[in-house]
Structures are given as C-alpha cells and as structure tokens.
Amino acid sequence: MMNPEFYSRVADEFCAYTSGGLRTDVFPDGDPEAAFDELARGLGDPDGRLVDVGCADGRSLLRIAPAFGDVLGIDMSASMLECAEKRLKEVGLGNVNVRFERRDASRTGLPDGEADVLTSRRGPLFPEEFRRVLKPGGHLIYMGIGETDVRELKETFGRGQLYGRWDGRPVMDEVVEELTEAGFTMVRENAFRTQEFYHSPVELDTFLRQVPIFEDYDPVADRVSFERYVASAGSDRGIRLDRHWFVVQARTAA
C-alpha cells in the first residue's frame, strides 16, 4: 500500500518525484519508461480519456497526456498534486484537458466505464476497481517493481521495499494472476533489468531520500550502511544500482 505521508514529505522538500541527480543509465532490455510511454501513446485518441493512478508530481503523466483529449491524474498526496498543478502550468498542453484530483485508488469514486485507458507507474494495483473504471475493451498499462530491484542495496541495509522477495515467486507473475482473476485479458508482459550509475555519493543520497526503497531512509542513521554500499558498488562509471521493473498491458472484455 502506498504511504501518502512519505510522498507528501518528498513533495514538500523537493516538489518532485525524481532527484534529477547526475547518473548514467544502461538499458540492456530497453528503457522501461520509454516502453510504457510508447504503449500509452499508442492507445491515445483525441476523444479518448486517460486516468492515471498514483500520478505523483505529474511529470510522467504529462509526457503522454497530449495523446488524449481528456486526462485525469489521481493521487492521495495533496502536496504531490500541488506540484503536479505547478508543473502543468509550466508545461502547458494547449487543448488537452488535464486535471489532478485527490482520490483513493482503491475506491476512486469515478463512474463505471469512465476511462478508455488507465495507467499506473510503480503505484497501487487494485484490479477490480481498475476494471470497473475502464470502459469495455479498455486498456490498463501497469509498471511494477520486480523482486530483485536493488537487491544488493537492500541486503547491505538489511531492509527495504520487497525485502527478501528475490527468492520467491516473481512479482510480475502475481500481478498477471491478479489481473486475470479480475477479468482482464493480458496483452503483453515485459521485464526490464537495467543499471543506474550515480556520479557521486551525494547524487545517490539525494535519490534515496526521494524514493520509497527505504521510506525511513536517514542519511545520518544509515551512514555506515550507505558508505559500505558505496564502497562495494562504486566503479569508474559511478555507483551502481541494479534495477528490476516490469510493464504489463491488459484489456477488459469488449
């Protein structure tokens, strides 16, 4: 379950859900964000309606919004939504109707069949509610965090998001099963293992303060673990994080 308080703290400090830190990315399986964007834009329509769940600061949503005529981003963090509104004013999207609202993803309160496309990046997954909100034949695009994401970092700290799940059933398989049981038909399933090389410890520290890998990350209390990881994962390219994400696309019955 997402923790609105964590995201509000991040928004209040940074007004963003990305560090903007200096790093080099390596994509042996392709860029998952670009793949997600391509799928969403491919389903776009000037008359289509997109609902994005867990929109955070709106940064990712605004990249795909121009492909649709009507766009709604929802999130539980009021502070993140304020950042999204600010970013929308800075970007400007012409005739595209974009709105941001504070709603609970598990009980959105949206009418049945409200959306042609529903997206969620590393956010909450509520298959029954998502199916209800989608029109017949509507599409869901979901990006999730894989069980081996930053495993070495979590092992060094002894905790973290999905800690210890790396030897269990793949998270993507569980998501596919949940969606299928809720009445979705799977269209595609893709796993992405990528690498991020942070150019300095400062850049990595900023990143860890902005993402929920450790919601309780404290630069002072975690200094020993942090320095141990930097020493073990450092290279000429930077401090390495091994990422593991997946993207699935599913549709409702027509």
Side-chain angles (χ1 to χ4, degrees):
M1 180 70 73
M2 298 292 109
N3 179 2
E5 293 183 2
F6 168 80
Y7 293 97
S8 293
R9 290 198 304 272
V10 171
D12 291 341
E13 183 175 359
F14 300 100
C15 203
Y17 184 41
T18 178
S19 67
L22 295 176
R23 76 183 193 213
T24 300
D25 295 329
V26 179
F27 302 118
D29 298 325
D31 181 346
E33 292 284 2
F36 190 103
D37 289 355
E38 183 178 358
L39 289 176
R41 292 191 188 105
L43 295 171
D45 185 285
D47 297 320
R49 182 159 200 200
L50 168 68
V51 172
D52 185 61
V53 175
C55 65
D57 66 357
R59 180 186 307 267
S60 298
L61 173 58
L62 293 176
R63 291 201 306 266
I64 61 176
F68 296 84
D70 191 82
V71 176
L72 172 64
I74 67 173
D75 202 282
M76 282 293 289
S77 168
S79 297
M80 275 293 180
L81 292 174
E82 289 177 7
C83 294
E85 292 283 4
K86 179 180 178 181
R87 189 173 300 280
L88 175 60
K89 292 178 181 178
E90 294 173 349
V91 173
L93 291 179
N95 295 326
V96 181
N97 179 33
V98 180
R99 294 173 294 112
F100 295 102
E101 297 178 359
R102 189 169 187 266
R103 291 177 182 265
D104 183 341
S106 66
R107 300 179 299 278
T108 63
L110 295 171
D112 294 357
E114 178 76 354
D116 298 285
V117 178
L118 190 149
T119 55
S120 178
R121 301 180 195 242
R122 298 176 300 278
L125 178 68
F126 298 103
E128 295 287 350
E129 177 67 359
F130 291 179
R131 180 176 56 79
R132 185 191 67 77
V133 170
L134 281 166
K135 293 179 180 178
H139 284 259
L140 166 68
I141 306 174
Y142 179 79
M143 176 184 287
I145 299 169
E147 62 281 353
T148 64
D149 188 57
V150 297
R151 173 178 176 175
E152 185 179 344
L153 177 71
K154 295 171 189 171
E155 288 180 321
T156 301
F157 277 70
R159 68 183 196 278
Q161 189 177 44
L162 295 176
Y163 182 78
R165 282 291 308 273
W166 36 81
D167 293 324
R169 186 183 182 196
V171 175
M172 184 170 71
D173 290 356
E174 293 183 354
V175 167
V176 168
E177 181 178 339
E178 287 183 43
L179 292 173
T180 301
E181 290 179 348
F184 283 92
T185 298
M186 301 308 302
V187 177
R188 56 174 49 83
E189 311 159 27
N190 297 106
F192 296 86
R193 287 178 171 80
T194 68
Q195 291 182 321
E196 298 170 350
F197 292 90
Y198 288 82
H199 295 186
S200 74
V202 172
E203 303 294 345
L204 178 60
D205 172 74
T206 301
F207 170 76
L208 292 179
R209 286 189 286 132
Q210 289 189 294
V211 296
I213 292 173
F214 312 111
E215 289 191 2
D216 59 349
Y217 174 70
D218 185 314
V220 176
D222 289 316
R223 181 177 60 84
V224 172
S225 295
F226 180 85
E227 292 180 349
R228 184 184 306 125
Y229 183 78
V230 168
S232 67
S235 71
D236 292 340
R237 305 182 74 174
I239 305 162
R240 187 193 74 256
L241 283 184
D242 294 318
R243 309 309 307 269
H244 177 194
W245 295 348
F246 62 89
V247 175
V248 297
Q249 179 182 352
R251 62 176 175 81
T252 61

